[in-house]
Amino acid sequence: MAASRANICNSNEATLWAGGPYDPSNPNALAALPEARSLVFDGKFDAAAKLIGDKMMAVPLQQMPYETLGDLFLDFPASAATENYRRDLDLDTAVASVSYTANGVHFHREIFSSPADQVIVIHLTADKPGQISFTVGMNTPQKVTMSTEVNTFKPFVNKTNDVTLVMNGVNADMHGIKGALKFQARVRVLPVHGKISVGADKISVADADAVTLLIAAATSYKNYHDVSGNPEAITKTKSKAATPNGPRATFSMAWTRRSLTTLPRTRNYSAASHSTLARRTRLKLPTDVRIAHFADGNDPQLATLYFQFARYLLICCSRPGGQPRPCRVCGTIP
């Protein structure tokens, strides 16, 4: 049987745009301004519009587009049958989950973004020991190189079997503007028991009791004219912050030589942080009955659900300290 791929999330990084710093001012604009004014005053609006378009508009005319960081994927061994499959998004806590039963084992996955640690957390569990096996990797349309690193965070060097998948890249050229942003994404794989093996661009876990993935990303962006930042230093800091000795230490863990027990502190902190904002607004429409088929008539409760889903997206992508950006359905790392 072929493996079963679960495409966990398409991730963005707030400052990952195409191109690089540039001055869009048209050098011909000032010289063309008197003629453009004259054409407007003479009522020759079409000629004025053409002159302005040719000589006075920005170069390039288009703005730099927002770019994707890439897809994180998990490849699971194929099972004979999957039962009781359920996907869920709690709009109050911003925790997404997947659960199902396969080969008599109940599997559960939780996904959330920690605003304190600036990482996306994926936690996989099963109701029987030694049942979690998968391969993790990343796909992206960007120009990247992939590598892996063993744990290097003191005081845990050589005390755990965690490994990090690292993606380094450069953004795309666009509209004649050369790509100047460097970026890095790190996927730290933290298994409880089991075995871990490393490939050139993938990490495989076998027979684990539970596994936690920490996903961090950053670019070299500092401001609109300075892209000299160090994304590697930023992503390493975010990953290190997710350990008990990190600067924020919200991702509490009990470490042993071959075991990692993840406590729910990070999840609870993230959920409480989101709930505080989500509960500022409530929308109740005058009905307590969902209409069976929305196309057959009105369904105010469905409108309520969409309203709160839109607020969930806006809350997740507009926390203080982040970059102004358009709301995206896919996951965003601030």
Side-chain angles (χ1 to χ4, degrees), residues 89-95 274-275 278 304-306 308-310 312:
L89 170 62
D90 189 326
L91 296 179
D92 188 58
T93 63
V95 176
H274 182 89
S275 297
T304 300
L305 182 63
Y306 269 96
Q308 295 293 5
F309 179 66
Y312 152 79

Side-chain angles (χ1 to χ4, degrees), residues 8-30:
I8 296 299
C9 62
N10 171 272
S11 296
N12 296 325
E13 202 284 336
T15 58
L16 183 54
W17 297 72
Y22 68 100
D23 182 357
S25 301
N26 193 321
N28 300 313
L30 183 60

